Amino acid sequence: MAKRLLVIATALATASCSSLQAFETREFSADGTLPPAPTAWSAGTGEAGAELARDWVASMQDDRLTALIDEAFAGNPTLNQSLARYHGALAAARISGARYLPQLDGSASYQRTEPNVGSGSNSYGLGLSASWETDLWGALRDNARASGLNAEAAAEDLRATQLSIAGLVAKGWFSLIESRLQTELAERDVATRQRSLDLTERRFARGLVRSSDVRTARSALASSEAALASRQRAESASARSLETLLGRYPAATLTPGTDFPSFDALGGLGTPVDLLARRPDVRAAEDRLDAAGLQSQAAAKALIPSLSLRGSSGTGGLDVSDMFDLDTLVSSLTASLVAPIFDGGSLLAQRDQVYANAEGLVASYVATVLTAWQEAENAIHADVILARRVESLRQAYEEAAAAEDLVVREYARGVSTIFELLTAQSRRISAESQYISARRERATNRVDLYLALAGDFSAAQSADPAAQTGE
């Protein structure tokens, strides 16, 4: 027996030495892989403008938009999926934390024995067992902290989803407003073409124009009616898209707003470095990277010996009363030191797998940061460009409208031709349509800017995911 114990002890010692030699931990960080960030946005900050609104939804000054975002927070399925994933991550963190504590189990047993010869017998038992894996090297702590970080990442994912849903609702609302304004423009266009046709027919009746002018005016009216039908279809599609986002049945019954909000130039947008602390997707990527580092440490620590304690107590006998008789109590305590000796390289492979996953998360974090910077730079630059575009198209529309008025009067006096009239009308309609689209584009980009900069907003319960879970 002594020789056997010596062999076992020698094997464990040898395994421990080899495990300690294989044991290594690595640091995983994005330092050195991210390009240096400038101290200011290359696209400019518009320092002469107003500060970035603390509540960008409220800054739109549209109570209906705020109500729609609240509605989407209650009924959007994508947001509900993100909330469910957050609940799951919280549960996983609780499971991992529970492994710190001993496990206690109770049991009750009954056994009936029937021999071939003679009478049978009963046996009864009542037992209690406890087990505990001591955290000698901190592997359990590492896994618990990693699970906590993954739960924090899920919370950031939920915040990112909330921000995204709010942005999608706002952009869908602006798209619906644009569709309504374009439909109204098409309706006015039909009315204008009808007046031109009526005027042309009266002039034809007096012999002032040719029949070809009448047919040309009728063709223009038919084209405008076709354009109106297309605009009406686009408006219905915009309404259904927004209703689906809200969790409603897409019946195209949502009444659009009357106009876009007005926007001032922005300033105080912070710096690219500041953005990393604001963006929930960047914070989630950082949490997952830190969790992967802890998991890699735990995987490496699985290569070294572990200590487990197990104890049990039980009573029992041939009668039910023996289950409660302390004289039948039997107790045991076992301490186990377990070290891996040969597993075909499974533990090393698992460690390397976790290391590879952590390296991938480093790359994912860098990609997330670069995307965040790109989105912010694009939105900041576009905000300035679109402001100039809107102003230029406003001037183009006003000049085209004034020119149309002149040509209408000239045509009524017989100075201009039907083609000059229709051209002037088409130019004004095109300019006004582009002006409407540019205003919607600027409104949409302003939302993209708020999303890129992770602007705050107070719609529904967006500030804290735990408020929605009761945690």
Side-chain angles (χ1 to χ4, degrees):
M1 179 62 70
K3 291 181 178 180
R4 292 178 181 176
L5 291 176
L6 181 60
V7 171
I8 294 174
T10 303
L12 285 174
T14 303
S16 299
C17 292
S18 61
S19 297
L20 289 171
Q21 290 175 357
F23 169 69
E24 62 170 338
T25 58
R26 292 172 53 185
E27 295 292 333
F28 296 94
S29 173
D31 295 341
T33 56
L34 279 174
T39 57
W41 298 105
S42 65
T45 60
E47 294 180 357
E51 292 291 323
L52 181 67
R54 293 188 60 83
D55 188 336
W56 64 266
V57 175
S59 72
M60 302 289 182
Q61 298 182 345
D62 189 334
D63 293 338
R64 290 193 63 196
L65 174 58
T66 301
L68 291 175
I69 292 175
D70 286 337
E71 182 180 347
F73 276 19
N76 182 268
T78 300
L79 187 56
N80 291 334
Q81 290 174 1
S82 184
L83 184 59
R85 286 192 291 269
Y86 174 58
H87 287 159
L90 285 176
R94 292 198 299 270
I95 292 171
S96 184
R99 290 173 181 155
Y100 271 119
L101 304 175
Q103 180 177 339
L104 185 64
D105 298 310
S107 63
S109 63
Y110 164 73
Q111 182 178 356
R112 173 67 180 176
T113 303
E114 290 288 351
N116 292 333
V117 179
S119 60
S121 63
N122 299 320
S123 63
Y124 302 88
L126 191 65
L128 191 66
S129 63
S131 61
W132 180 41
E133 181 181 352
T134 61
D135 195 19
L136 284 179
W137 316 109
L140 295 177
R141 182 183 66 251
D142 291 340
N143 280 323
R145 290 172 58 196
S147 295
L149 287 170
N150 283 327
E152 292 179 11
E156 296 295 349
D157 289 339
L158 179 56
R159 293 186 180 96
T161 303
Q162 289 173 328
L163 187 61
S164 175
I165 293 299
L168 289 174
V169 171
K171 290 190 282 188
W173 180 241
F174 295 149
S175 178
L176 181 58
I177 292 174
E178 179 194 13
S179 297
R180 175 90 288 263
L181 294 177
Q182 295 285 10
T183 299
E184 292 174 350
L185 172 60
E187 291 170 347
R188 294 197 305 272
D189 181 27
V190 170
T192 298
R193 301 296 194 186
Q194 183 64 58
R195 288 194 298 270
S196 297
L197 175 59
D198 294 341
L199 176 59
T200 303
E201 287 177 338
R202 289 196 299 271
R203 297 192 69 202
F204 174 70
R206 295 197 300 268
L208 299 177
V209 296
R210 298 171 297 179
S211 61
S212 60
D213 288 4
V214 176
R215 293 186 179 277
T216 300
R218 288 175 181 171
S219 176
L221 174 59
S223 297
S224 295
E225 290 172 339
L228 173 59
S230 179
R231 294 298 188 184
Q232 290 171 335
R233 176 176 174 272
E235 182 179 351
S236 296
S238 295
R240 291 191 176 94
S241 177
L242 182 54
E243 287 167 342
T244 301
L245 189 62
L246 299 175
R248 297 187 188 181
Y249 182 83
T253 58
L254 186 61
T255 303
T258 57
D259 203 0
F260 304 104
S262 57
F263 299 104
D264 297 323
L266 285 178
L269 303 183
T271 68
V273 175
D274 296 335
L275 180 64
L276 303 186
R278 294 179 57 87
R279 290 266 300 219
D281 56 341
V282 174
R283 293 200 299 261
E286 185 175 1
D287 286 338
R288 289 192 171 93
L289 177 57
D290 292 340
L294 290 169
Q295 289 169 341
S296 69
Q297 292 180 22
K301 291 171 183 177
L303 296 168
I304 53 182
S306 62
L307 176 64
S308 298
L309 301 177
R310 182 174 182 85
S312 64
S313 294
T315 59
L318 300 179
D319 297 321
V320 174
S321 60
D322 292 336
M323 297 173 60
F324 307 99
D325 186 355
L326 294 181
D327 291 338
T328 65
L329 179 65
V330 177
S331 300
S332 67
L333 177 63
T334 304
S336 301
L337 182 64
V338 180
I341 297 177
F342 177 76
D343 62 358
S346 174
L347 289 176
L348 284 172
Q350 290 177 21
R351 183 202 62 184
D352 294 342
Q353 182 183 45
V354 174
Y355 282 0
N357 179 60
E359 290 171 350
L361 288 174
V362 171
S364 177
Y365 175 78
V366 173
T368 301
V369 171
L370 290 175
T371 299
W373 284 339
Q374 177 190 9
E375 290 174 353
E377 289 282 7
N378 285 342
I380 293 170
H381 182 256
D383 192 71
V384 178
I385 298 298
L386 289 173
R388 294 203 297 263
R389 173 176 165 78
V390 167
E391 178 59 23
S392 297
L393 287 174
R394 183 191 64 79
Q395 295 178 8
Y397 157 62
E398 291 177 352
E399 293 296 335
E404 179 190 15
D405 291 339
L406 290 175
V407 174
V408 168
R409 290 195 294 270
E410 290 174 352
Y411 182 73
R413 298 197 310 269
V415 177
S416 297
T417 66
I418 184 65
F419 297 104
E420 291 173 326
L421 174 63
L422 296 179
T423 298
Q425 291 173 340
S426 297
R427 185 179 297 110
R428 188 267 307 165
I429 293 167
S430 176
E432 185 174 358
S433 177
Q434 292 183 60
Y435 177 53
I436 293 171
S437 295
R439 295 183 63 208
R440 191 274 308 157
E441 189 177 359
R442 189 185 183 203
T444 297
N445 183 76
R446 181 57 65 92
V447 174
D448 287 336
L449 176 58
Y450 289 130
L451 297 182
L453 298 177
D456 295 329
F457 66 106
S458 59
Q461 301 182 56
S462 61
D464 185 7
Q468 300 185 30
T469 64
E471 295 294 334

